[in-house]
């Protein structure tokens, strides 16, 4: 994949310095290590772009490593979805591996630390261990099992490995410093007992490494040079280094670097909260178009190129911040404006009858065809033929019987342009028994064919339309923010308190031009004057609004510039 080079940042500068100093012989290798206990979301996209982008910028390699050290929460379904989502985002890993592939070497290294007196088996339960660790500004307390001999610890560890003990009965802890100011160095747990089937290793193992024990050592086994993590792991780095310093590595010692994760306004990325949305039926599933998962964004029509461009453009920092979702949408809109074909669709149809439209010898309305440009941004897309006749559908809000001030669309006596076709003038309306307008009658000017008047007269509005006799019916989902506040939960402490009960509106009976019946599943088109819409991959003729046409981010920037000026 060829993309604009990312601006220089502190991570790339660190890699560049390592290369200049020959730290890894000029070699660069990174990894993206998701835990397969859920679906990837927009925050993961930032990490993927970072990990793969650094490797790409320095002609290096990037692996995907499934951090599968917790058998109770991990499933093959998540593994498949992660690999698929990374490919959809546009990246091809050098290899796909599992942390569980390294359970053997990790265990051998654990025995090494035990024999060196640097790890011990502890019989304390989890609650006791937590209490022993103390707190910030308050030193921890040594476990009563801390002084077991290496021989005793090795015997117990091997019996743990053999399955002699029950879940939670014993753990293996690193022996570091219970008074250390960094809490992660207060004898962290390395192994715990779990009698559970693992998706990759089956029942071969009953002891499983913690993240901190598996992380750096897996990096070393793979040959990772730069282990790029999000900022919450900065305090783990001394432990990462401690483990590597005390092991008989045969290759280079990897280096951990941290950057700020991506957060968006009106969005949550907590797997726990996202799972609750799914479990409670607030959304239709992990791929609901309102979800910030890559699956949801994909279904909604977000182009992967826009996600990559956004993630690269916002840069890499060490300061946590929350980006406006409107900024992400501006990248989506820009990409779709370049790539999407234009089509006409009427979401809330109102019939427009041209009373002076000609009929053929059999009394049937004449059908004309107009060539309409598919994509003005790309002439190579050519044109399409659109049918036009005497009965059309227009948007219901494109007509006002009593127009408000500065309303330039269709109203009695007002002339407007029908996109690419003719000028029409509304004459009267037909109402139902309740007084609602069900039909607008109008006349057309045959001399304005193609949308221009020979006498040079101008109109103030151009409206889209669909020929009633040639229209296809569709359903359309319109989306608002899933959360009403910019920072969900800021006021109450619980993000789900700020759910938007009106985040989706589903319209049925929409009338769209015939060409939309040929849209490929997942393809995004622009509904003229309305926005960008993606055809659902599973439900025929159901479209999801990806983004509207209005660039809200540009408006926000203007307001910010005005207030700062």
């Amino acid at each position: 994949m060829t993309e604009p080079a990312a601006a220089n940042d502190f991570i790339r500068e660190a890699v560049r310095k390592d290369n200049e100093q020959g730290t890894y012989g000029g070699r660069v290798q990174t990894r993206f290590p998701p835990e397969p206990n859920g679906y990837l979301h927009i925050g993961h996209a930032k990490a993927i772009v970072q990990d793969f982008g650094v490797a790409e910028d320095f002609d290096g390699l990037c692996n995907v490593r499934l951090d599968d050290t917790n058998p109770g929460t991990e499933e093959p379904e998540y593994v498949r979805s992660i690999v698929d989502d990374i490919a959809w985002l546009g990246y091809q890993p050098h290899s796909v591996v599992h942390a569980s592939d390294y359970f053997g070497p990790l265990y051998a290294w654990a025995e090494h630390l035990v024999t060196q007196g640097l790890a011990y088996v502890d019989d304390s339960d989890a609650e006791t261990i937590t209490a022993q660790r103390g707190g910030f500004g308050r030193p921890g307390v040594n476990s009563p099992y801390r002084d077991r001999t290496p021989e005793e610890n090795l015997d117990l560890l091997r019996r743990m490995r053999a399955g002699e003990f029950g879940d939670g009965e014993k753990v293996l802890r690193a022996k570091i410093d219970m008074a250390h100011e960094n809490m992660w160095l207060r004898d962290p747990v390395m192994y715990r007992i779990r009698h559970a089937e693992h998706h990759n290793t089956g029942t071969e193992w009953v002891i499983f490494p913690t993240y901190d024990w598996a992380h750096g050592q897996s990096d070393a086994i793979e040959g990772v040079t730069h282990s790029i993590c999000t900022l919450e792991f900065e305090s783990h780095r001394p432990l990462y280094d401690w483990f590597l310093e005390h092991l008989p590595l045969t290759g280079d010692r990897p280096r951990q670097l941290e950057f700020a994760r991506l957060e968006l306004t009106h969005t949550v990325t907590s797997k726990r909260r996202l799972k609750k949305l799914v479990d409670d039926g607030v959304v239709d599933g992990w791929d609901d178009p309102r979800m910030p998962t890559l699956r949801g964004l994909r279904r909604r029509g977000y182009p992967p190129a826009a996600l990559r461009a956004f993630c690269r453009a916002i840069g890499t920092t060490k300061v946590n911040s929350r980006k406006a979702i409107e900024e992400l949408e501006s990248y989506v809109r820009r990409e779709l404006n370049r790539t999407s074909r234009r089509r006409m669709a009427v979401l809330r149809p109102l019939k427009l009858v041209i009373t002076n439209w000609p009929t053929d010898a059999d009394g049937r309305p004449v059908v004309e065809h107009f060539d309409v440009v598919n994509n003005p941004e790309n002439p190579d897309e050519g044109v399409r033929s659109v049918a036009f006749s005497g009965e059309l559908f227009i948007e219901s809000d494109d007509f006002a019987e009593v127009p408000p001030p500065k309303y330039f669309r269709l109203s009695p006596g007002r002339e407007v342009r029908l996109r690419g076709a003719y000028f029409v003038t509304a004459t009267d309306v037909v109402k139902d028994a309740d007084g609602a307008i069900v039909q607008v009658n109008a006349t057309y000017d045959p001399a304005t064919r193609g949308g221009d008047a020979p006498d040079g007269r101008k109109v103030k509005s151009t409206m889209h339309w669909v020929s009633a006799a040639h229209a296809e019916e569709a359903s359309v989902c319109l989306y608002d923010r899933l959360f009403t506040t910019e920072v969900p939960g800021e006021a109450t402490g619980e993000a789900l308190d700020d759910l938007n009960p009106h985040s989706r509106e589903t319209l049925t009976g929409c009338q769209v031009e015939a060409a939309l019946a040929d849209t490929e599943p997942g393809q995004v088109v622009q509904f003229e004057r309305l926005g960008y819409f993606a055809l659902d991959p599973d439900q025929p003729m159901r479209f999801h609004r990806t983004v509207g046409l209005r660039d809200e981010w540009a408006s926000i920037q203007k307001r910010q510039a005005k207030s700062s000026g």
Side-chain angles (χ1 to χ4, degrees), residues 312-557:
R312 292 177 77 92
I314 61 176
T316 302
T317 71
K318 288 186 75 77
V319 180
N320 284 320
S321 63
R322 191 177 295 268
K323 294 292 182 180
I325 194 170
E326 292 85 356
E327 184 175 1
L328 169 59
E329 290 173 340
S330 72
Y331 280 85
V332 172
R333 189 177 293 107
R334 190 179 311 156
E335 178 67 15
L336 293 178
N337 181 59
R338 185 180 66 84
T339 60
S340 296
R341 292 185 171 185
R342 275 54 169 174
R343 297 290 185 260
M344 289 190 286
V346 177
L347 305 191
R348 297 176 175 87
L350 174 64
K351 183 168 282 189
L352 175 68
V353 176
I354 302 176
T355 56
N356 63 333
W357 186 255
T359 56
D360 61 18
D362 297 321
R364 293 173 300 194
V366 170
V367 177
E368 294 188 10
H369 290 83
F370 293 92
D371 286 340
V372 182
V373 172
N374 281 320
N375 185 351
E377 302 295 322
N378 182 7
D380 292 340
E381 292 278 3
V383 298
R384 68 191 186 281
S385 179
V386 181
F388 185 96
S389 191
E391 291 191 4
L392 310 169
F393 289 113
I394 62 171
E395 292 288 349
S396 60
D397 64 359
D398 276 343
F399 176 80
E401 187 176 20
V402 181
K406 296 184 179 181
Y407 182 91
F408 300 115
R409 286 165 282 170
L410 197 61
S411 59
R414 174 165 289 157
E415 188 174 52
V416 300
R417 176 187 293 107
L418 295 181
R419 166 93 164 89
Y422 292 103
F423 285 9
V424 296
T425 303
T427 56
D428 59 286
V429 300
V430 176
K431 299 182 179 181
D432 63 15
D434 297 323
I437 297 172
V438 295
Q439 179 178 308
V440 176
N441 294 326
T443 59
Y444 87 111
D445 182 352
T448 60
R449 192 179 197 283
D452 291 307
D455 61 7
R457 73 182 187 276
K458 304 295 183 183
V459 292
K460 291 187 175 181
S461 180
T462 299
M463 295 166 24
H464 65 281
W465 50 272
V466 175
S467 171
H470 305 87
E472 296 281 347
E473 188 166 306
S475 62
V476 173
C477 295
L478 306 177
Y479 297 103
D480 198 352
R481 307 297 182 210
L482 185 55
F483 294 89
T484 57
T485 57
E486 287 194 355
V487 184
E490 187 175 39
T492 66
E494 176 47 65
L496 300 184
D497 290 342
D498 293 328
L499 275 170
N500 179 4
H502 308 295
S503 59
R504 178 174 64 190
E505 179 183 9
T506 302
L507 305 178
T508 58
C510 304
Q511 302 295 315
V512 303
E513 69 169 271
L516 281 167
D518 299 325
T519 306
E520 294 292 327
Q523 182 181 353
V524 181
V525 296
Q526 184 193 109
F527 289 179
E528 297 200 25
R529 300 175 64 221
L530 299 175
Y532 296 95
F533 293 77
L535 180 61
D536 190 272
D538 302 316
Q539 302 181 65
M541 296 305 287
R542 167 162 285 203
F543 290 87
H544 303 283
R545 182 168 64 186
T546 309
V547 289
L549 294 177
R550 181 171 173 265
D551 190 349
E552 296 171 301
W553 175 239
S555 300
I556 291 173
Q557 287 181 303

Side-chain angles (χ1 to χ4, degrees), residues 6-24:
N8 192 28
D9 56 57
F10 69 94
I11 288 181
R12 285 171 171 81
E13 185 59 32
V15 174
R16 188 172 291 108
K17 284 185 177 179
D18 282 338
N19 284 351
E20 291 172 353
Q21 297 168 2
T23 305
Y24 300 103

Side-chain angles (χ1 to χ4, degrees), residues 251-366:
D252 295 322
R253 184 194 302 174
R255 174 184 182 187
Q256 179 176 304
L257 301 164
E258 308 87 17
F259 70 100
R261 65 189 301 168
L262 170 61
E263 295 284 358
L264 291 174
T265 57
H266 299 282
T267 305
V268 299
T269 54
S270 159
K271 286 183 182 178
R272 177 181 64 83
R273 290 191 172 95
L274 294 179
K275 186 176 186 300
K276 185 169 176 57
L277 293 177
V278 175
D279 292 345
D280 291 354
V282 175
V283 295
D284 295 334
W286 290 95
D287 62 349
D288 187 299
R290 292 167 290 179
M291 290 282 273
T293 56
L294 296 189
R295 303 234 138 178
L297 299 177
R298 182 178 185 175
R299 196 177 199 97
R300 188 159 174 169
Y302 275 45
L307 294 177
R308 295 193 303 266
F310 170 72
C311 289
R312 292 177 77 92
I314 61 176
T316 302
T317 71
K318 288 186 75 77
V319 180
N320 284 320
S321 63
R322 191 177 295 268
K323 294 292 182 180
I325 194 170
E326 292 85 356
E327 184 175 1
L328 169 59
E329 290 173 340
S330 72
Y331 280 85
V332 172
R333 189 177 293 107
R334 190 179 311 156
E335 178 67 15
L336 293 178
N337 181 59
R338 185 180 66 84
T339 60
S340 296
R341 292 185 171 185
R342 275 54 169 174
R343 297 290 185 260
M344 289 190 286
V346 177
L347 305 191
R348 297 176 175 87
L350 174 64
K351 183 168 282 189
L352 175 68
V353 176
I354 302 176
T355 56
N356 63 333
W357 186 255
T359 56
D360 61 18
D362 297 321
R364 293 173 300 194
V366 170

Side-chain angles (χ1 to χ4, degrees), residues 63-139:
N63 288 344
V64 170
R65 181 171 73 238
L66 287 308
D67 178 30
D68 55 349
T69 60
N70 191 348
T73 62
E74 298 151 1
E75 298 179 13
E77 172 193 353
Y78 296 137
V79 173
R80 291 190 294 269
S81 72
I82 287 169
V83 173
D84 182 61
D85 285 347
I86 292 170
W88 171 76
L89 196 55
Y91 295 101
Q92 180 63 46
H94 175 66
S95 58
V96 177
V97 296
H98 300 74
S100 57
D101 296 338
Y102 311 135
F103 279 0
L106 289 172
Y107 177 77
W109 275 339
E111 285 202 353
H112 170 80
L113 292 182
V114 167
T115 60
Q116 298 299 307
L118 297 174
Y120 63 97
V121 174
D122 194 335
D123 298 358
S124 305
D125 59 29
E127 185 177 348
T128 301
I129 291 174
T130 299
Q132 289 171 352
R133 294 181 68 205
F136 293 104
R138 181 165 51 89

